[in-house]
């Protein structure tokens, strides 16, 4: 079964959804699953703002108070903790995710897409890494198994793997993706959002039938 996942590595629910899907797949030990990560940018206009914390950023974007923003992030952190994830929003660095998505596209050509997604998610939500910093991207990319020279070549180019990112985003629009995470199972069923494990299990069962 092929499972395509539209995701942005700076989307907190995408990391949660990844864990919940992984838990669901454990219920099907005798089935083969091919996971393909698809690029999606929640806001392609974001510029890197290492001096602005995520609470202020969201408050300004949504027209809410800092306290409301902190409460909202606290709720997300608690939900993440329920699936074994440790979110440190105090350390998160606002940055544009395009270069990270380009590296994910490179990783996909080497069957390392899932590894790269996991490393980027943890780097952003847990470790407070700047995912638009070249040296950081090289460090994380090599950790996933990519060659340092090919990551450098990608970052020095303005167009390598940009078309692949844009193609995924365009396809998302064509199939009606309004937000991420968005999961498509064998092009038969779709699940929108970080649904409970049981919802993923039921969907997989339906597709297998």
């Amino acid at each position: 079964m092929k499972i395509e996942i539209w995701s942005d590595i700076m989307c907190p629910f995408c990391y949660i959804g990844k864990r919940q899907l992984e838990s669901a797949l454990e219920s099907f030990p005798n089935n083969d699953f091919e996971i393909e990560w698809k690029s999606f940018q929640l806001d392609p206009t974001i510029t890197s703002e290492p001096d602005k914390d995520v609470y202020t950023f969201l408050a300004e974007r949504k027209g809410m108070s800092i306290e409301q923003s902190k409460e909202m992030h606290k709720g997300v952190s608690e939900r993440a903790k329920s699936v074994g994830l440790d979110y440190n929003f105090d350390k998160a660095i606002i940055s544009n995710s395009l270069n990270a998505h380009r590296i994910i596209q490179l990783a996909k050509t080497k069957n390392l897409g899932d590894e790269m997604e996991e490393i980027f998610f943890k780097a952003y939500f847990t470790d407070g890494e700047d995912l638009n910093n070249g040296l950081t991207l090289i460090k994380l990319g090599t950790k996933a198994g990519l060659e340092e020279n090919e990551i450098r070549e990608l970052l020095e180019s303005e167009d390598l793997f940009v078309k692949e990112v844009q193609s995924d985003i365009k396809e998302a629009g064509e199939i009606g993706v309004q937000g991420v995470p968005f999961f498509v199972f064998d092009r038969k069923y779709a699940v929108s959002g970080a649904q409970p494990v049981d919802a993923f299990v039921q969907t997989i069962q339906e597709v297998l039938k």
Side-chain angles (χ1 to χ4, degrees):
M1 182 187 300
K2 184 170 185 177
I3 304 173
E4 297 162 283
I5 310 169
W6 274 264
S7 162
D8 192 351
I9 40 142
M10 293 176 187
C11 159
F13 298 105
C14 292
Y15 199 8
I16 293 168
K18 182 177 189 292
R19 278 292 180 277
Q20 289 170 316
L21 174 66
E22 288 166 349
S23 294
L25 295 182
E26 291 174 3
S27 300
F28 303 90
N30 299 319
N31 293 92
D32 291 323
F33 297 96
E34 176 192 351
I35 307 289
E36 181 182 355
W37 289 90
K38 300 274 197 172
S39 295
F40 191 93
Q41 284 192 285
L42 289 169
D43 187 350
T45 67
I46 287 178
T47 54
S48 294
E49 298 189 56
D51 299 325
K52 182 177 289 187
D53 62 72
V54 295
Y55 309 118
T56 304
F57 179 82
L58 185 71
E60 291 176 354
R61 285 294 175 105
K62 300 291 187 183
M64 61 175 66
S65 69
I66 300 289
E67 284 308 310
Q68 286 174 314
S69 177
K70 285 184 176 180
E71 275 301 306
M72 190 174 289
H73 281 89
K74 181 182 176 184
V76 175
S77 293
E78 288 171 355
R79 186 169 172 191
K81 193 170 288 185
S82 72
V83 296
L85 297 175
D86 183 20
Y87 281 11
N88 292 316
F89 285 116
D90 288 346
K91 296 166 65 176
I93 297 173
I94 301 296
S95 58
N96 192 290
S97 61
L98 177 60
N99 282 333
H101 279 296
R102 292 168 67 200
I103 292 173
I104 290 166
Q105 294 289 345
L106 168 64
K108 283 165 62 174
T109 67
K110 301 172 184 297
N111 294 317
L112 294 171
D114 200 62
E115 290 85 346
M116 196 71 262
E117 286 279 345
E118 180 66 31
I119 286 168
F120 277 152
F121 276 137
K122 182 176 182 295
Y124 181 73
F125 289 107
T126 303
D127 302 331
E129 300 268 21
D130 182 353
L131 295 190
N132 204 31
N133 177 281
L135 292 176
T136 299
L137 290 171
I138 290 168
K139 176 187 74 174
L140 297 173
T142 54
K143 187 177 178 182
L146 299 176
E147 298 291 333
E148 180 177 333
N149 64 310
E150 51 189 0
I151 303 171
R152 286 188 184 277
E153 182 185 359
L154 181 152
L155 293 173
E156 288 167 4
S157 161
E158 291 187 359
D159 54 11
L160 272 178
F161 290 100
V162 171
K163 283 183 180 176
E164 287 81 354
V165 174
Q166 292 174 338
S167 176
D168 281 354
I169 294 171
K170 181 172 181 280
E171 187 180 11
E174 290 170 350
I175 66 172
V177 177
Q178 306 250 316
V180 288
F182 192 86
F183 305 81
V184 176
F185 297 80
D186 267 353
R187 291 283 163 145
K188 293 186 176 79
Y189 286 81
V191 172
S192 180
Q195 299 295 327
V197 173
D198 287 349
F200 285 118
V201 169
Q202 288 172 10
T203 302
I204 293 168
Q205 287 172 336
E206 286 299 317
V207 178
L208 289 173
K209 284 179 187 175

